[in-house]
Amino acid sequence: MEKALHVNGLVLPALLIELLNGGRWRHPGDDVLRDLMPWFESPLDFLTSIEGMRRESRSLTLLADDPPSSHLFRQTRGSIATASVELPWLDVEQAVLIAVNRIPGDDVAMALDYRTDPADPQVVASDFWTDPKQCSWQAVAPTFSQLVEVLRLL
């Protein structure tokens, strides 16, 4: 059972597990997300299962291991980076996708960013609209629990 609570070797926040088990980790509506992330122009779908988070998060390492994609999506592996990996870059070894593009091909996402706190990670989202030539990862909420509060999911 213990392994079931991990994605990419990272322990999912207890609050996320609680929301998933109770069916309360659900999309709050496009307008609510637009207010939270005004730069974000594409619709997202929340990943409502741990298996879905695992499946979608696997793509992070594929992109990070391909130099052109790594540069475009600003995703890298912190374990091999020559300097500390900070926003607007995403350390794929410290991230779990929790929401992904609704429209195939949009290649956008929201992720837990464990660089700040392994128990209550920061939430970040991709930004292709501020600079369409290169993705930037922006903070959405300082902690997952604060995101849940703002979205009124409890």
Side-chain angles (χ1 to χ4, degrees), residues 1-149:
M1 181 67 180
E2 180 72 22
K3 186 175 169 100
L5 305 178
H6 290 76
V7 174
N8 287 350
L10 302 164
V11 179
L12 294 176
L15 180 56
L16 178 56
I17 298 298
E18 178 185 329
L19 293 169
L20 287 167
N21 289 340
R24 293 183 314 232
W25 177 244
R26 60 184 177 268
H27 196 288
D30 291 337
D31 290 340
V32 173
L33 288 183
R34 201 172 359 269
D35 288 345
L36 180 64
M37 306 180 302
W39 75 89
F40 212 96
E41 295 181 14
S42 295
L44 286 174
D45 281 338
F46 279 30
L47 298 170
T48 57
S49 72
I50 294 171
E51 187 48 45
M53 292 176 192
R54 280 192 189 115
R55 182 181 59 252
E56 294 293 339
S57 294
R58 281 186 206 114
S59 69
L60 294 174
T61 54
L62 296 174
L63 294 172
D65 291 341
D66 175 63
S69 296
S70 172
H71 179 74
L72 175 66
F73 290 98
R74 285 193 182 162
Q75 296 178 10
T76 192
R77 291 177 179 265
S79 64
I80 61 171
T82 56
S84 177
V85 180
E86 304 292 335
L87 292 178
W89 282 79
L90 185 69
D91 181 346
V92 300
E93 296 169 334
Q94 296 295 316
V96 171
L97 296 182
I98 57 173
V100 296
N101 49 278
R102 182 178 304 151
I103 300 169
D106 277 1
D107 294 330
V108 294
M110 182 187 297
L112 298 176
D113 181 355
Y114 285 78
R115 291 176 287 187
T116 57
D117 182 346
D120 196 7
Q122 170 177 237
V123 180
V124 297
S126 55
D127 175 2
F128 264 111
W129 302 278
T130 302
D131 177 3
K133 295 177 187 153
Q134 187 176 38
C135 179
S136 292
W137 290 86
Q138 290 197 37
V140 174
T143 63
F144 178 72
S145 58
Q146 287 179 331
L147 175 72
V148 168
E149 187 177 317

